[in-house]
Amino acid sequence: MEETDREAVATAVQRVAGMLQRPDQLDKVEQYRRREARKKASVEARLKAAIQSQLDGVRTGLSQLHNALNDVKDIQQSLIDVNKDWRQSINTIENLKDVKDAVVQHSQLAAAVENLKNIFSVPEIVRETQDLIERGELLQAHRKLMDLECSRDNLMYEQYRMDSKNTHDMNLIHTYFGDMQKLSEELAKQLWMVVQRSLVTVRRDPTLLVSVVRIIEREEKIDRRMLDRKKQTGFIPPGRPKKWKEKMFNILERTVSTRIEGTQADTRESDKMWLVRHLEIIRKYVLDDLLVAKTLLDQCFPPHYDIFNRLLNMYHQALSTRMQELAAEDLEANEIVSLLTWVLNTYKSTEMMGNSELSPEVDVNSLNPLISQNVVDQLLSKYMSTLTSNIIGWLRKALETDKKDWIKETEPEADQDGYYQTTLPAIVFQMFEQNLQVAAQINEDLKTKVLLLCLQQMNSFLTRYKDEAQLYKEEHLKNRQYPQCYVQYMIAVINNCQTFKESIISLKRKYLKIEMEDTLSSSHTSMDVTLDIIAKEGCSSLLDEVFMDLEPHLNELMTKKWLMGSNAVGTICVTVEDYFNDFAKIKKPYKKTMTIEAHRRVVVEYIRAIMLKRISFKNAEERKEGAERMIKEAEQFRFLFKKLAAGSGEDTEGLCDIIEAIAEVIKLTDPSLLYLEVSTLVSKYPDIRDDHIAALLTVRGDASRDMKQTIIETLDQGPSQPNPNYVPIFKEITVPTLTVPKLLK
């Protein structure tokens, strides 16, 4: 207490010191004293009020405790009195047992009297109920059935209460009301018939469906009441609970399953499109049924039935079961595609579950897959395997069909630009397109796999195509008169190579993602190489055909007959031009190559004719005449191939220049300049060999053996500076076996 006083004094001193810090504040001391006195009085008043309030509360509490103690004492005394009275009345209660039994018996008799009228009228009520059921008045029939059941149940309950072990009387009652059970079953059949046709009934007679639902609801309430009574008394009437609501949903579930299964109208044997038709009928039926369920059926059932969602789940489960059954069958490739397209795409599309009229009740994102991913993978694997076999078979058949066209006596068709072609590329790539379009309906991954498969099989197919083209050429060489249109169909084969190239590029551009192109680059390159080989071999075979016809005329070159005025070169030019009228049907990339190769081969054959030494000029006059003829014929060749190569950008000058250069060597009149002329020829065409020079000098006819040897030896010692742009030509030309050493001996 003293410490508290000291703290109070210290606080007061500190506060006074705070108020009197300046001299001018001394004038306000009296004012400060009055203000502090008021505060003190206020605090004291609040303290007194608080203490008084606490004292009043304590006083009231003590008073209530005192009263409670008195009440407890009174209650204790009353309990003592009650206990005493109860003990005194035990004997009296035992004496009332007879009264109790009489009350129970009276209650049973009263119930019997109350139901007596119904008991005697049971047969009549049964007949009336039967008539009502037959007339379709189900609500009234059910009302009477409930009355009958109520009478029976009450009687059986009273009997159970009186003597639960008396089965004889219970069986007697049950037998008496036996027809009632048949009525219940008959009514149930009528109800289930309506439930089975509920989606039809709701459009024609929704009142009937509502009546059925009301009857089921009544039975559900009776079931609950009977179950509650069983918990209390242990008694439940026979046939309860009926569980008609549960049975109704079971009936609906079976009806949905039957409806889905019953949509298959055809089999594979009767209709190749059986599965497509089956799935389309399912789609239409399910969509129509769900729309009816949402707009009409939902209004005929209580909200807690949640009938639309229950039906939605039933349809989904039935569809899942049906799709799994179909997936387990031995489906063909097109059937697998139809099934997967429907399951993965159509089912959740706007054509079915994604229909705007079904939203928002149906959320396609919350629907489980109809078939598992494992089953999908198995189907895709089977599809790819089957498709591989089919593509191989289709390609083989297409090639066999094309080969039959090759031996026709009519020319092949031409495209809009006039180029010969066969139907093979169109057939092959139409087949590829169809399969890719089908695969694209399922998903991107399958589309890519099918494209890779198509290109892989295309690679193998082109190898067979190359072999067949080679066999075609070999068969023709056995008899050049057969096939009649060999040249035209070989041109078509060559053109097909270009069409294949363009189609492959188009197919990749259309169906292959950019990021996947690198994975196919090697395969694409391989196909391009194979196609170029086929085209090159085809062009070569056509040129072989040309030069087989030219052979007699080529054999006339550089002979006495030729020197005397043979028109062999004119015939050669006419023949080549005539062939190239057909070769004009070859597409540009290969036509240009063909023209260049024909030009080169004509020049090679002409030079070969020179190197064969069929003629040796006797004098300068013959050499001049022969050289001028060679220059003239070179000009003819130049003119011909310039005409044939018009617009192709081919250099037609260089090859014919070789003939003119050789002619200049032959034309030379001064033998002393022969070495210079020959060295000029060698410098231009460095692949020319000693045997070529020896043959050329032999054709001149005026060079001695010593001169030939000197020129050749001098040329061998001289430096060679080949033109980097020169394409060797003499290496293809073989001189007859008379070698230089033998010549010099």
Side-chain angles (χ1 to χ4, degrees), residues 600 603-614 687-696 729-739:
R600 190 190 63 80
V603 172
V604 167
E605 292 300 326
Y606 194 94
I607 297 172
R608 180 178 284 115
I610 298 172
M611 298 302 167
L612 288 173
K613 300 173 288 186
R614 294 173 183 154
D687 63 320
I688 193 168
R689 302 190 301 272
D690 292 351
D691 53 350
H692 294 137
I693 297 171
L696 180 56
I729 193 170
F730 284 92
K731 66 179 183 179
E732 300 179 34
I733 301 170
T734 304
V735 178
T737 55
L738 186 60
T739 59

Side-chain angles (χ1 to χ4, degrees), residues 561-575:
K561 183 179 179 181
W562 169 79
L563 186 61
M564 293 173 66
S566 167
N567 193 33
V569 169
T571 305
I572 289 171
C573 290
V574 170
T575 304

Side-chain angles (χ1 to χ4, degrees), residues 306-444:
D306 196 17
I307 190 64
F308 178 75
N309 286 325
R310 293 287 290 268
L311 270 176
L312 177 63
N313 290 333
M314 290 177 191
Y315 273 103
H316 181 80
Q317 186 58 44
L319 286 172
S320 178
T321 302
R322 183 57 183 156
M323 294 306 113
Q324 290 176 22
E325 291 173 353
L326 291 172
E329 294 186 14
D330 187 17
L331 298 177
E332 297 178 355
N334 62 316
E335 294 169 349
I336 292 174
V337 169
S338 298
L339 180 63
L340 288 177
T341 302
W342 198 92
V343 168
L344 300 178
N345 299 328
T346 304
Y347 182 61
K348 294 186 178 182
S349 71
T350 54
E351 296 178 356
M352 198 170 175
M353 292 303 188
N355 190 287
S356 58
E357 295 183 38
L358 291 177
S359 62
E361 284 79 3
V362 178
D363 180 9
V364 294
N365 296 320
S366 64
L367 294 174
N368 293 324
L370 289 176
I371 55 178
S372 66
Q373 187 59 44
N374 185 40
V375 175
V376 172
D377 292 341
Q378 290 176 3
L379 287 173
L380 289 176
S381 176
K382 182 179 178 182
Y383 171 72
M384 290 300 294
S385 176
T386 306
L387 182 61
T388 301
S389 301
N390 288 347
I391 288 178
I392 292 172
W394 292 332
L395 290 175
R396 183 181 294 112
K397 184 177 179 181
L399 183 54
E400 291 299 323
T401 303
D402 206 55
K403 282 169 57 182
K404 292 177 182 178
D405 291 342
W406 294 354
I407 58 176
K408 286 182 178 179
E409 295 181 358
T410 56
E411 292 184 356
E413 296 179 357
D415 63 12
Q416 66 270 19
D417 297 321
Y419 298 119
Y420 285 138
Q421 63 177 9
T422 67
T423 57
L424 182 62
I427 291 172
V428 169
F429 282 92
Q430 183 181 9
M431 175 189 67
F432 287 169
E433 281 270 359
Q434 289 173 350
N435 283 287
L436 284 165
Q437 288 170 5
V438 167
Q441 294 174 7
I442 298 177
N443 55 45
E444 284 292 319

Side-chain angles (χ1 to χ4, degrees), residues 571-589:
T571 305
I572 289 171
C573 290
V574 170
T575 304
V576 170
E577 187 172 5
D578 182 57
Y579 267 103
F580 266 83
N581 286 332
D582 284 337
F583 296 165
K585 306 287 186 179
I586 299 176
K587 291 186 176 181
K588 289 183 179 179

